[in-house]
Amino acid sequence: STVGDSLAVSQNTNYPMYTFNTSDLKVTTSDAVSGLNSLDLINIVPNPYYAYSEYEKNQLDNRVKITNLPENCTVSIYTLNGTMVRKFNKADPKTSLDWDLKNQAGIPVASGMYIIHVKTTLADGSEGEKVLKWFGVMRPIDLDQF
C-alpha cells in the first residue's frame, strides 16, 4: 500500500518536470536591426562553381542560386574591375534568384571572380546592402552529346 500511495503522489512518474511559457515571444515587424542581420544570410551557391551545379537541368543549362534574398531588392553582378555584368530587380516573395551565368546581353560569362551586390530598403526606410564574392569555372559547350 505504501508503494501505491507514493505513485499516486508523484508527478510525471518521478521523471524531471520542467515548465516554460511563450507569452513574451512574438513576431517583430519593422525592425531595422533584424533586417540588417538577415542580410548576413544572403549567399550564392555553389561557391566556388566548378562547371556544374545541382540546379542545372541539362548539359546546356548553367545556373547558380542567390539565396535568402529579401522580397524587394536589386542584385547587381560585377567583374573585379567594376564592369556591370547583369542586374536583377527582384520584387516577389520567392527567397532565391537563379542566375544563368550570362550577362545582360545573354552571352555566357567567362571563368573568374565576380562581385555580387545586393541592395534593399529596410523596414525603417534606410538602405541595406550585402556584397558577395563568387568564383566560377565555366565548361565548354559539348554539342556532341545530342
Side-chain angles (χ1 to χ4, degrees), residues 67-112:
T67 60
N68 299 318
L69 292 170
E71 189 168 324
N72 295 306
C73 64
T74 302
V75 178
S76 304
I77 302 167
Y78 299 93
T79 61
L80 287 182
N81 67 0
T83 304
M84 181 179 286
V85 173
R86 186 87 180 256
K87 186 174 189 175
F88 297 96
N89 290 313
K90 182 184 164 309
D92 59 38
K94 189 177 174 188
T95 60
S96 67
L97 178 73
D98 287 1
W99 178 32
D100 59 2
L101 303 179
K102 294 180 180 172
N103 66 13
Q104 208 69 27
I107 299 169
V109 297
S111 297

Side-chain angles (χ1 to χ4, degrees), residues 39 42 114-118 129-133:
L39 290 176
I42 296 173
Y114 291 86
I115 304 294
I116 293 114
H117 180 258
V118 179
E129 63 182 355
K130 172 75 175 190
V131 176
L132 302 166
K133 296 171 231 39

Side-chain angles (χ1 to χ4, degrees), residues 38-70:
S38 68
L39 290 176
D40 291 337
L41 300 175
I42 296 173
N43 200 5
I44 183 165
V45 290
N47 190 12
Y49 172 83
Y50 290 119
Y52 174 76
S53 82
E54 292 289 329
Y55 306 115
E56 297 169 350
K57 297 174 179 45
N58 59 49
Q59 67 190 23
L60 294 177
D61 185 23
N62 294 343
R63 183 181 313 265
V64 294
K65 283 189 183 281
I66 303 168
T67 60
N68 299 318
L69 292 170

